Amino acid sequence: MAVATETAAPAPTRRRGRPEQRPGLKRWLPYALLAPAVLLELFIHIIPMLVGIWMSFIKLTKFFIANWSSAPSAGLGNYKVALDFNNAVGQGLLKSFGVTIAFSLITVAFSWVLGMAAAVALQPEFRGRGLVRTLFLVPYALPAYAGILTWNFMLQRDTGAVNHVLDQLHLSDGKTFWLIGGNALVSLITVAGWKLWTFAFLTLMAGMQSIPRDLYEAASVDGAGNLRQWRNITLPSLRPVNLVLVLVLFLWTFSDFNTPYVLFGTAQPPAGDLITFHIYNASFLTWNFGTGAAMSVLLLIFLMIVTGIYLLGTGRRSRRA
């Protein structure tokens, strides 16, 4: 007698480990992870920027500071005042713009040269290289306010260390004013460059780690010196890094407010009248927030145009290369 035997289907086994995600949760999880960053960007940057643009079109003076919604419309009046270079406001803004351009270009060049020199000098392996690299990063790790305040004390005329050292070296009479007069721009560039060059050093040093050592060894065999290796190997290899680094340094320097504010206080000298500090004075010292907001929008438009031209120009050069 034949006995029919049925093969029982294997019972479904539960996968051990992480439980399977539900399709709905899997679809919304990326948006949920991005939501905090989007909200922070919205409340920290986007909304204040839109409020600033709205302020630039109203007559927001001290008479309406308690109730912004009652401020009358100014149309393009605030922009006309800021861009009328025949009046005091327009002339002051134009002069401040020129000072800021000079300050930004010199500071970026100063920081890049120092950062590149330090990165190249610390590229070969030697004993204590890690310690030297760490010491070079101290200005970047130091809180900005603490570093600038220290420079403020060092640049004092009678009690500052800078005048004392220069006097001991017989390079000056030790009575130089560094925080007022024409030397204010030199002081500003020195402090801003001291603060920024370590970032350039860190970025360039990281970029150099990706350059194959074989290229330098082959160039040495062919008789290329250090300068030629730097010009023909290091610079071309660091081109993508430099494109981003120079743009970031320029944007940070042009919109720098902390350095002149901490270094000079509320009474900045004409030689150190950066545009961000000029806008601050136009807003909070004269209580004309509408004109100050118009200046800020003009600054934003200028930086956006410069960034667009820079990216367009460098992108074309990269495609041709």
Side-chain angles (χ1 to χ4, degrees):
M1 180 177 179
V3 178
T5 58
E6 295 182 357
T7 304
T13 57
R14 298 182 61 182
R15 295 180 60 184
R16 294 182 178 179
R18 292 190 308 173
E20 291 185 358
Q21 294 179 345
R22 290 177 297 179
L25 178 62
K26 189 175 182 180
R27 186 177 61 180
W28 288 106
L29 183 59
Y31 299 101
L33 295 176
L34 287 175
V38 173
L39 289 176
L40 285 176
E41 179 68 18
L42 185 67
F43 285 105
I44 293 176
H45 289 118
I46 303 299
I47 291 179
M49 184 177 66
L50 295 177
V51 172
I53 294 175
W54 169 67
M55 288 170 57
S56 67
F57 292 102
I58 60 176
K59 295 180 180 179
L60 186 58
T61 61
K62 62 181 179 181
F63 301 107
F64 304 100
I65 197 66
N67 186 8
W68 291 19
S69 59
S70 63
S73 173
L76 296 176
N78 291 325
Y79 291 94
K80 292 179 180 177
V81 171
L83 295 175
D84 185 3
F85 302 127
N86 293 320
N87 62 28
V89 176
Q91 290 176 359
L93 182 64
L94 183 62
K95 184 178 179 181
S96 174
F97 179 78
V99 171
T100 308
I101 287 287
F103 163 75
S104 302
L105 294 179
I106 297 174
T107 302
V108 170
F110 178 62
S111 305
W112 185 87
V113 169
L114 277 182
M116 175 61 80
V120 171
L122 296 184
Q123 189 65 9
E125 294 185 2
F126 59 89
R127 191 173 184 180
R129 186 178 65 168
L131 177 62
V132 178
R133 283 179 173 177
T134 304
L135 291 177
F136 278 8
L137 293 177
V138 168
Y140 191 63
L142 197 66
Y145 282 92
I148 300 171
L149 274 178
T150 304
W151 274 103
N152 181 285
F153 293 131
M154 292 171 58
L155 292 171
Q156 294 296 321
R157 175 178 177 268
D158 297 326
T159 59
V162 173
N163 270 343
H164 178 72
V165 172
L166 293 177
D167 186 28
Q168 293 298 317
L169 296 175
H170 303 288
L171 296 177
S172 75
D173 59 356
K175 301 295 181 183
T176 306
F177 287 98
W178 293 105
L179 299 179
I180 59 176
N183 292 325
L185 183 59
V186 177
S187 303
L188 205 54
I189 292 171
T190 303
V191 177
W194 170 83
K195 193 175 60 174
L196 280 180
W197 81 270
T198 50
F199 177 76
F201 160 69
L202 185 65
T203 306
L204 294 171
M205 184 181 65
M208 287 182 183
Q209 304 305 313
S210 62
I211 303 176
R213 300 301 303 172
D214 299 344
L215 296 178
Y216 293 102
E217 294 173 0
S220 299
V221 172
D222 292 339
N226 293 332
L227 181 60
R228 190 175 175 185
Q229 292 180 21
W230 177 77
R231 188 176 65 245
N232 294 336
I233 298 176
T234 305
L235 272 185
S237 301
L238 290 178
R239 189 171 185 277
V241 177
N242 278 322
L243 292 179
V244 178
L245 175 63
V246 171
L247 178 62
V248 170
L249 289 179
F250 180 80
L251 294 177
W252 282 357
T253 308
F254 202 90
S255 58
D256 188 8
F257 175 80
N258 295 333
T259 304
Y261 182 75
V262 179
L263 196 62
F264 301 128
T266 56
Q268 82 283 10
D273 185 23
L274 300 186
I275 195 165
T276 52
F277 209 56
H278 189 87
I279 294 173
Y280 170 83
N281 284 338
S283 301
F284 289 93
L285 296 186
T286 64
W287 291 86
N288 193 339
F289 295 96
T291 305
M295 293 178 182
S296 299
V297 174
L298 292 174
L299 173 63
L300 173 66
I301 294 173
F302 170 76
L303 291 179
M304 290 178 65
I305 292 175
V306 169
T307 303
I309 294 174
Y310 180 83
L311 294 178
L312 191 62
T314 54
R316 286 181 177 177
R317 289 190 61 183
S318 298
R319 286 192 294 271
R320 290 174 184 171

